[in-house]
Amino acid sequence: MAVDPFAELLRHLRRNANRTQDEQAGAINAASGRATVTRREVNRYENGANVPTDHTLGNIALACGVPLEPLLREAKAARARRREKNKAEAEDLDDVKRRTLLGGAAIGAAAAAEPWGRLAYALSKGSKIDPESAGVLIDHAARLHVAELNESALSLQARVEAHLDAITAALPRAGAHERALTIAAGETAALAGWVAWDLGEHDKATSYYGVTSECAKKAGHPPLRALALGYASHGAPSPAKALEMLSQAAQDVRGRGNATAAAWALGRYAEEAAQSGDDAGALRALDQAKFAYDFADHTSEQAWVRFVTPYRMDSLALSVYGELKRQELSATADSAVERLGGGLPESGVVVLGDLASALLRGGDVERGAYVAHQFAVAAESKPNTMGRQRAQAIAAGLPDTEHDLASHLLTFASL
């Protein structure tokens, strides 16, 4: 018996996220905050034996980063088919069209990446997107920016690009939500570029950053360009170019409601200035970043700034003080360790990596090696973007007595 198109769609969603049925159940439960879905139930959804409730579909949409409305429509169609006594005779033309799309009709490069993307694109010719679906897309874009702190670029790439497809598919019917979705698309494209750059796909990264800048222009939202410039500055052809890009980013985030973005742009400027030998410029920018962050709320400003946690600001300060070999390094390191506490929160691996590098560059080799061991363990359990680059930097700064650790980090960086 042929698998129902909706069941096939759910299976493709799970596979696109690189999950087993057990993992998919866990992701759905994480989205809902309740352990109500089991592997057996996911299996029943995917073989057509059961159709998820609308409430569960909302959690599936969140877990997979896709629009909710197309899922609701397809679920409704699936339920209608189940009520028919004879599916072959009752199948209507719309169902045939949907099955054709799922089979591989060519409808455009961006939306054709996965069956659900093609379906969402096809349905985009229908009514305007509803506020709930728009909210799901926008919120998930922000969640992905947080995920990059505790997830490797390799595992994150498919999810980010899939979500960009989802937003792209929704834009033609965005209506009153067009500006908000355009900004979310730009935020997602910037992250896709960051992930591509981390994986060595530099031309691809440049293209994504260009798309982000176009979204910023269309939406009239300069902070979005600041995001693209901040990410792109890591791959700038020269220190002078990186500083130029970050200076523009800092200009783009002036004004109310941009305190977190300003703190990040200024912190990155300080980091690059320190590496280029501009001690005074680095310290001045870092002080400005700290001042801006005193007025910031990274949970309520632009969606993408959610990754600029207090831990991330610790990381930037450590990088600057370590590069400049400043006496403030020791106190900043103590504060960062105290903030981390006994667990490993979001940004924790990033802080450990930058702390180890900073201590080694600052001359506290014994403490730096100790933290490097902690980073090695944490980075393997919670990979993050730029984890490989941090591992390489740490390995280069370790003393000869830590040969085994250096080799281990270099092996990790090559994976």
Side-chain angles (χ1 to χ4, degrees):
M1 181 181 295
V3 177
D4 184 83
F6 183 61
E8 184 179 351
L9 174 60
L10 292 177
R11 183 165 60 251
H12 276 288
L13 280 173
R14 173 177 60 79
R15 289 177 175 174
N16 181 70
N18 294 318
R19 296 181 185 135
T20 65
Q21 290 184 338
D22 269 327
E23 290 169 339
Q24 180 73 340
I28 296 170
N29 289 333
S32 70
R34 300 176 61 190
T36 56
V37 176
T38 64
R39 184 207 62 79
R40 183 172 179 274
E41 193 63 25
V42 171
N43 181 263
R44 286 174 61 80
Y45 296 155
E46 294 182 3
N47 65 27
N50 199 3
V51 177
T53 65
D54 288 354
H55 178 74
T56 299
L57 284 172
N59 294 324
I60 291 174
L62 280 174
C64 297
V66 299
L68 174 59
E69 187 178 353
L71 291 183
L72 293 175
R73 292 186 181 188
E74 283 303 293
K76 183 178 180 180
R79 294 186 189 105
R81 289 193 292 273
R82 286 168 59 83
R83 287 194 296 268
E84 297 293 336
K85 293 181 180 179
N86 191 331
K87 290 185 179 181
E89 294 179 1
E91 188 178 65
D92 62 21
L93 182 60
D94 287 341
D95 291 331
V96 173
K97 288 180 178 178
R98 280 191 285 269
R99 186 167 289 120
T100 300
L101 286 170
L102 287 170
I107 61 170
E114 291 293 335
W116 65 263
R118 296 195 294 270
L119 178 60
Y121 183 89
L123 291 173
S124 73
K125 300 180 185 299
S127 60
K128 298 297 184 183
I129 192 169
D130 61 273
E132 184 179 3
S133 295
V136 167
L137 289 168
I138 293 167
D139 185 65
H140 196 69
R143 288 171 181 250
L144 288 171
H145 277 277
V146 174
E148 67 101 356
L149 295 170
N150 289 313
E151 193 167 337
S152 70
L154 187 61
S155 66
L156 191 60
Q157 187 174 49
R159 289 171 54 206
V160 174
E161 293 184 343
H163 189 58
L164 185 58
D165 278 350
I167 299 178
T168 300
L171 275 172
R173 58 195 175 95
H177 309 289
E178 181 176 3
R179 183 173 185 271
L181 284 180
T182 298
I183 292 172
E187 292 169 344
T188 307
L191 183 56
W194 174 243
V195 168
W197 182 82
D198 194 32
L199 293 173
E201 300 170 348
H202 296 164
D203 289 343
K204 190 174 182 180
T206 299
S207 297
Y208 275 127
Y209 296 146
V211 169
T212 300
S213 294
E214 285 298 313
C215 288
K217 182 178 179 181
K218 182 176 181 180
H221 189 61
L224 190 53
R225 182 173 64 171
L227 171 60
L229 290 169
Y231 277 156
S233 66
H234 285 276
S238 68
K241 183 61 177 177
L243 290 172
E244 177 187 330
M245 296 167 75
L246 291 165
S247 178
Q248 179 60 60
Q251 292 291 325
D252 285 341
V253 293
R254 284 187 169 184
R256 296 181 61 183
N258 300 328
T260 307
W264 178 65
L266 290 164
R268 277 288 298 124
Y269 185 97
E271 194 171 39
E272 290 291 339
Q275 292 175 11
S276 67
D278 181 5
D279 294 23
L283 293 172
R284 181 171 57 251
L286 184 59
D287 284 343
Q288 291 173 334
K290 290 179 177 180
F291 180 77
Y293 203 73
D294 285 341
F295 298 89
D297 182 355
H298 72 284
T299 65
S300 65
E301 296 172 22
Q302 291 87 10
W304 58 266
V305 301
R306 295 185 194 179
F307 80 90
V308 190
T309 63
Y311 307 105
R312 185 71 183 94
M313 293 303 296
D314 285 343
S315 179
L316 289 168
L318 288 166
S319 180
V320 171
Y321 290 144
E323 185 68 34
L324 300 181
K325 297 179 173 57
R326 296 284 299 188
Q327 62 181 9
E328 293 95 327
L329 175 60
S330 180
T332 304
D334 290 341
S335 176
V337 170
E338 182 179 356
R339 197 192 306 277
L340 285 176
L344 197 64
E346 291 172 353
S347 307
V349 179
V350 175
V351 176
L352 286 176
D354 289 342
L355 175 58
S357 293
L359 290 169
L360 291 169
R361 290 197 304 271
D364 192 345
V365 176
E366 182 177 353
R367 193 177 181 189
Y370 174 77
V371 177
H373 279 279
Q374 292 182 304
F375 168 78
V377 174
E380 290 189 72
S381 63
K382 287 187 175 183
N384 64 290
T385 58
M386 283 195 75
R388 294 180 302 166
Q389 285 84 353
R390 288 187 172 90
Q392 289 175 326
I394 294 170
L398 286 169
D400 293 340
T401 54
E402 295 290 347
H403 177 269
D404 289 345
L405 176 58
S407 297
H408 176 77
L409 289 171
L410 290 175
T411 299
F412 172 76
S414 68
L415 297 177

